[in-house]
Amino acid sequence: MENRFNLIDEPWIPVADYGRVSLRQIFTHNEYRSFGGNPVQKIAVLKLLLGIAQAAVTPADEAEWQALGAEGLAERCLAYLEQWHDRFYLYGEKPFLQMPLVEKLIEERMGKKLASAKSGAKKKEAELAGEPKSFGAGFYPDMPSSNNTMLSQTLFDQKLCDADKALFVVSLMNFAFGGKRVEADMKSLGGKEIGNRYSAPAGPSLGGRTGYLHSFVFTGTLLSDLWINLITQEDLEKTMMWADGVGIPLWENMPVSESCDLVNEYKNTYMATLVSMSRFSLLRDHGIFYLDGINYPSVKDGWFEPSLMLDRSGQDIKPKYVNPEKRPWRELESLLSLAFESKSNGYECMFLRIGLERARDRFEWLSIWSGGLKVSPNSGDQSVKQEDDFIESQTWMHESILGAVEFSQLKLEMNCLDERASCLWGSAVNYFKSFKADNGKKINNTHAGKMAKQAQNLFWQLCERDFQVLVNNCNQSESDAIERQKLRKRFAGYVNQAYDKFCPRDTARQLDAWAKCRPNNSNYLQQET
């Protein structure tokens, strides 16, 4: 096939305020601030760029990393892309992160089915099985199932442009959904028999359950973000998680099957966490051939990515999952604790630990970004249902917030907000229990518990709009103390607003219960800030 649409030259990466840009533009323009797209696309593209950066240069230690700088990193990456320019074509003899051999497997399977077909309907079925799969809506790294429920026009099948296809392939490598939507009823490239009900495991960055939460330190420009999150050889040795070091990216040396020697070596490198290959795919016409690819261990079995939040304090390693009901900004103080505590009893994140240590001494402003996708598992399949959704949270802070006094102030304010949320929940529960409904049931399964939970969720949604202001006013000046007191009045108002929304006072009986159970915010407002 003709080599065309080179990712180095063609615009395909969504960048805020600029639209689509190419890989060369990413490393040429230092004014780009952040990625566009959904959170999974942002993480996938960032991982790819970090993979390019690590392949271009991996500093020996912090001193070499400091001397490199963001501009030095960009120069090395541009030179690397020039060297490997022919490996970044989306279409051609060596399509980027794709496996041309899968088309032969599809053709062989179609030939066998056609030969055994006894009717015209069976022949038509065999021919359809040889066609590429649809991308669906294109914003999930997955194929649509045949019985998808269409809730809006955004979920209908879309014809993707080449830029969107490139973004889809890159997202698919790390975040493919687990399930039965891969091609089956054939032999894999490695000779493994794949039955017609085969279920492929999820991509390693998504995880086999409900979706991992990923976190990074950002600084305000994409080039600086890549530099801040660049791992040194010293970091790799301290971590002791990748026996074969940085590794060689797949576009330099593609595997021939899911179980070849190259794959076994690659899974033990840091590069595998940046650019996985959880699906063997090939773009064709307006669709894609889509087979299971390299299978990776779970976090419980030893898989490690620097962007994951992992709790190693117990017998089993526990990752933090995406939770749309508890957005990451609510845990900012626990994330920032990595800058103060060399060893944590709870969740740890390698990128946050290294990034905060670097950024606090070199940037006046920094941010913590967290995001991911919540999915629902069901008998080996993963899909987006009901309350599942993308989430992302980014909080900017002055470097002074990493001071001990300012950090303590933030912890105090967050603890107070947690207390207000608990008070609201208790008040709403008592309101509904006063009508003597749902007696004898566990409170979370009762109408009272469900309504109290909704009130609590509304409270946190209202607080989120003012959280950035709270973070900006955690210094110990008099003006900051005055601003925090104003914010407390506003947060107390949100408690009452959420209570009034879900606890009506239309009848005399409701009014009596509403007055008796109304949240008391007096101590919160009188407490010194």
Side-chain angles (χ1 to χ4, degrees):
M1 290 183 63
E2 176 190 1
N3 288 337
R4 63 185 180 88
F5 201 88
N6 194 289
L7 304 188
I8 298 173
D9 306 318
E10 301 286 346
W12 64 279
I13 301 172
V15 171
D17 301 328
Y18 288 89
R20 305 271 187 171
V21 302
S22 66
L23 285 173
R24 179 177 284 112
Q25 288 174 292
I26 285 286
F27 293 107
T28 303
H29 297 273
N30 60 9
E31 67 268 23
Y32 296 156
R33 297 182 296 106
S34 61
F35 295 116
N38 63 54
V40 163
Q41 292 169 342
K42 291 178 181 180
I43 298 170
V45 171
L46 177 60
K47 282 176 173 285
L48 173 64
L49 295 177
L50 285 173
I52 293 170
Q54 294 288 170
V57 53
T58 298
D61 51 29
E62 285 297 300
E64 191 171 315
W65 171 85
Q66 173 66 25
L68 178 67
E71 293 183 1
L73 175 62
E75 291 174 2
R76 296 289 290 270
C77 289
L78 287 171
Y80 176 84
L81 291 176
E82 191 65 33
Q83 178 186 356
W84 293 96
H85 186 274
D86 65 324
R87 301 299 177 87
F88 284 83
Y89 285 104
L90 190 62
Y91 307 97
E93 295 179 359
K94 296 180 179 179
F96 185 70
L97 295 181
Q98 299 170 63
M99 296 287 283
L101 289 173
V102 303
E103 190 169 22
K104 182 180 178 181
L105 296 181
I106 302 294
E107 291 174 352
E108 290 176 351
R109 184 188 64 182
M110 183 176 66
K112 290 179 181 179
K113 288 189 174 184
L114 284 172
S116 62
K118 303 296 185 182
S119 65
K122 286 294 183 181
K123 287 183 179 180
K124 184 64 175 178
E125 182 182 322
E127 291 172 353
L128 289 175
E131 295 293 322
K133 290 181 178 290
S134 166
F135 295 103
F139 48 76
Y140 293 131
D142 185 42
M143 307 293 104
S145 62
S146 58
N147 61 348
N148 264 6
T149 301
M150 301 300 180
L151 301 177
S152 71
Q153 73 276 10
T154 61
L155 297 178
F156 283 91
D157 290 359
Q158 304 289 327
K159 287 187 177 181
L160 305 187
C161 64
D162 288 335
D164 286 329
K165 290 178 183 178
L167 195 58
F168 183 89
V169 168
V170 170
S171 301
L172 193 65
M173 295 300 101
N174 291 61
F175 288 92
F177 288 9
K180 302 178 179 65
R181 290 177 289 279
V182 295
E183 299 285 357
D185 198 16
M186 61 171 65
K187 280 190 177 181
S188 70
L189 291 174
K192 181 176 71 173
E193 288 288 348
I194 301 176
N196 58 8
R197 298 296 295 167
Y198 177 75
S199 183
S205 297
L206 180 67
R209 291 185 59 191
T210 59
Y212 296 142
L213 182 71
H214 295 260
S215 298
F216 302 87
V217 172
F218 288 160
T219 59
T221 66
L222 292 180
L223 287 181
S224 294
D225 295 343
L226 293 174
W227 178 54
I228 280 289
N229 290 287
L230 190 70
I231 299 296
T232 68
Q233 193 64 45
E234 185 179 47
D235 295 326
L236 294 173
E237 293 171 359
K238 287 180 180 178
T239 305
M240 297 186 295
M241 295 302 300
W242 302 287
D244 293 326
V246 176
I248 298 174
L250 290 173
W251 54 80
E252 290 188 23
N253 191 11
M254 288 287 286
V256 295
S257 76
E258 74 278 6
S259 56
C260 65
D261 292 339
L262 174 64
V263 165
N264 295 329
E265 294 175 4
Y266 187 70
K267 287 195 288 188
N268 291 319
T269 66
Y270 171 53
M271 193 65 68
T273 70
L274 301 176
V275 185
S276 306
M277 202 167 187
S278 58
R279 295 292 180 267
F280 288 162
S281 61
L282 181 66
L283 295 172
R284 274 292 180 269
D285 301 325
H286 296 299
I288 186 172
F289 292 121
Y290 182 74
L291 277 69
D292 190 15
I294 301 173
N295 292 172
Y296 298 86
S298 66
V299 165
K300 184 178 179 181
D301 296 326
W303 182 256
F304 177 83
E305 293 189 20
S307 56
L308 297 181
M309 300 288 296
L310 301 176
D311 184 357
R312 300 173 178 275
S313 59
Q315 185 175 357
D316 294 328
I317 301 174
K318 297 178 181 178
K320 185 170 285 294
Y321 294 101
V322 171
N323 182 1
E325 293 185 356
K326 187 175 182 180
R327 295 174 63 81
W329 66 268
R330 290 171 52 187
E331 301 180 280
L332 178 64
E333 54 92 9
S334 63
L335 300 180
L336 287 175
S337 66
L338 296 169
F340 297 90
E341 303 168 10
S342 58
K343 190 172 182 180
S344 172
N345 293 324
Y347 287 96
E348 300 177 359
C349 177
M350 182 176 176
F351 270 155
L352 291 188
R353 177 177 54 80
I354 293 175
L356 287 172
E357 187 175 331
R358 288 171 170 176
R360 68 191 300 182
D361 298 326
R362 296 172 177 87
F363 295 90
E364 183 178 3
W365 289 92
L366 63 142
S367 71
I368 289 182
W369 184 95
S370 298
L373 171 63
K374 167 73 165 55
V375 296
S376 293
N378 182 20
S379 301
D381 274 23
Q382 289 175 316
S383 56
V384 178
K385 298 180 179 179
Q386 298 169 343
E387 297 179 355
D388 296 341
D389 201 356
F390 296 105
I391 71 161
E392 64 177 313
S393 176
Q394 184 171 15
T395 305
W396 285 93
M397 62 205 80
H398 193 269
E399 53 86 20
S400 62
I401 195 66
L402 297 179
V405 176
E406 292 78 6
F407 177 66
S408 297
Q409 185 66 52
L410 177 62
K411 288 182 67 174
L412 172 64
E413 298 299 330
M414 290 305 298
N415 288 338
C416 288
L417 285 180
D418 285 333
E419 291 174 1
R420 289 301 87 212
S422 297
C423 175
L424 170 62
W425 188 88
S427 295
V429 166
N430 290 334
Y431 169 87
F432 286 101
K433 287 178 69 175
S434 66
F435 300 108
K436 303 187 183 301
D438 301 321
N439 287 336
K441 297 181 182 179
K442 290 185 177 179
I443 190 63
N444 289 334
N445 298 326
T446 64
H447 178 68
K450 293 176 182 177
M451 297 303 289
K453 184 178 179 181
Q454 291 185 47
Q456 202 174 49
N457 288 342
L458 175 59
F459 167 71
W460 286 119
Q461 290 174 27
L462 295 170
C463 288
E464 184 172 6
R465 66 181 70 174
D466 295 302
F467 179 67
Q468 183 66 67
V469 180
L470 176 62
V471 173
N472 293 344
N473 289 276
C474 280
N475 293 313
Q476 298 306 296
S477 66
E478 183 178 349
S479 61
D480 282 352
I482 294 173
E483 187 62 35
R484 286 197 300 273
Q485 192 61 44
K486 292 179 182 178
L487 285 172
R488 287 201 173 194
K489 292 180 181 178
R490 196 174 304 165
F491 292 143
Y494 292 155
V495 172
N496 294 332
Q497 183 177 339
Y499 178 78
D500 294 345
K501 171 75 173 178
F502 291 95
C503 302
R505 54 187 188 278
D506 299 327
T507 67
R509 190 179 177 196
Q510 287 177 341
L511 182 60
D512 183 57
W514 175 86
K516 287 181 179 178
C517 302
R518 190 168 174 79
N520 186 345
N521 297 307
S522 58
N523 289 338
Y524 173 63
L525 295 174
Q526 293 171 7
Q527 183 181 358
E528 290 187 8
T529 60

